[in-house]
């Protein structure tokens, strides 16, 4: 999705964009360290050490309204969990939930769909992922669906007919959407 995802530790906020510059995303780290970093490695994000541990949050703030985000969650073992909160553009909470681990946590990968279809309005701008006391996992973006711009559409439908004695008629109607 995002061609410019590079490995490293970026203090505070990591900005990236897709290859066409349409979807822009800020990834923001919060932790108890003096200077929290967004750690990106092998297509995954974590806080400080490429994992989201207890007491840490990773915020995905999109520049456009999103309809769905599919996350790849790695290394989240059975009994572990990550919390998430989905917010609209104004920062209003739309929904919250838990991603439960599976497997033994050693490289296990699960795909998690966070969809706007689950709440009124259907669009969101921010996903905040938080580690719980027993969690240590990392996330990657597998797919995103969102709005890039409002584009007005015009459709013209034309019809013509001829009656039984040969009289033609016709017309058209233009619809603006």
């Amino acid at each position: 999705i995002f061609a410019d995802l590079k490995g490293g530790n970026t203090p505070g906020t990591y900005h990236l964009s897709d290859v066409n510059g349409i979807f822009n995303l800020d990834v923001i780290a919060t932790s108890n360290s003096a200077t929290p970093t967004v750690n990106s490695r092998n297509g995954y994000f974590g806080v400080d050490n490429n994992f989201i541990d207890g007491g840490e949050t990773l915020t995905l703030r999109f520049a456009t309204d999103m309809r769905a985000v599919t996350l790849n969650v790695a290394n989240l073992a059975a009994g572990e969990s990550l919390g998430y909160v989905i917010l609209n553009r104004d920062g209003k909470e739309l929904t919250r939930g838990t991603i439960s681990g599976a497997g033994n946590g050693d490289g296990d990968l699960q795909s998690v769909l966070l969809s706007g279809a689950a709440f009124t309005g259907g669009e969101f701008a921010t996903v905040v992922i938080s580690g719980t006391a027993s969690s240590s996992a990392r996330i990657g973006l597998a797919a995103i669906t969102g709005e890039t711009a409002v584009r007005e559409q015009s459709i013209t439908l034309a019809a013509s007919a001829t009656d039984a004695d040969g009289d033609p008629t016709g017309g058209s109607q233009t619809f603006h959407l």
Side-chain angles (χ1 to χ4, degrees):
I1 298 171
F2 295 100
D4 60 349
L5 180 60
K6 297 173 181 58
N9 275 318
T10 304
T13 301
Y14 183 98
H15 177 79
L16 64 156
S17 177
D18 71 313
V19 294
N20 298 315
I22 295 172
F23 288 104
N24 293 289
L25 169 66
D26 285 332
V27 182
I28 304 158
T30 306
S31 73
N32 292 326
S33 69
T35 307
T37 61
V38 175
N39 186 298
S40 54
R41 183 175 59 218
N42 299 328
Y44 289 93
F45 292 108
V47 177
D48 296 335
N49 64 356
N50 201 233
F51 290 88
I52 304 168
D53 298 317
E56 298 175 340
T57 63
L58 193 70
T59 300
L60 307 175
R61 186 179 306 146
F62 294 91
T64 57
D65 288 333
M66 304 306 296
R67 293 206 172 127
V69 174
T70 302
L71 302 175
N72 284 331
V73 180
N75 302 86
L76 191 63
E80 295 181 342
S81 63
L82 293 174
Y84 67 86
V85 178
I86 297 177
L87 309 169
N88 70 8
R89 177 84 34 224
D90 297 325
K92 178 185 175 203
E93 182 178 317
L94 300 171
T95 191
R96 65 176 48 233
T98 302
I99 302 167
S100 298
N104 65 11
D106 187 23
D108 293 314
L109 180 66
Q110 56 188 338
S111 183
V112 177
L113 171 66
L114 303 177
S115 173
F119 49 83
T120 304
E123 295 179 339
F124 57 92
T126 303
V127 177
V128 180
I129 301 165
S130 57
T132 60
S134 65
S135 69
S136 185
R138 53 192 179 161
I139 63 160
L141 292 170
I144 59 173
T145 303
E147 293 293 320
T148 57
V150 175
R151 300 190 189 271
E152 292 188 20
Q153 302 291 317
S154 294
I155 300 171
T156 301
L157 300 176
S160 61
T162 304
D163 66 13
D165 65 356
D167 297 324
T169 187
S172 66
Q173 177 67 48
T174 301
F175 299 91
H176 300 282
L177 308 172

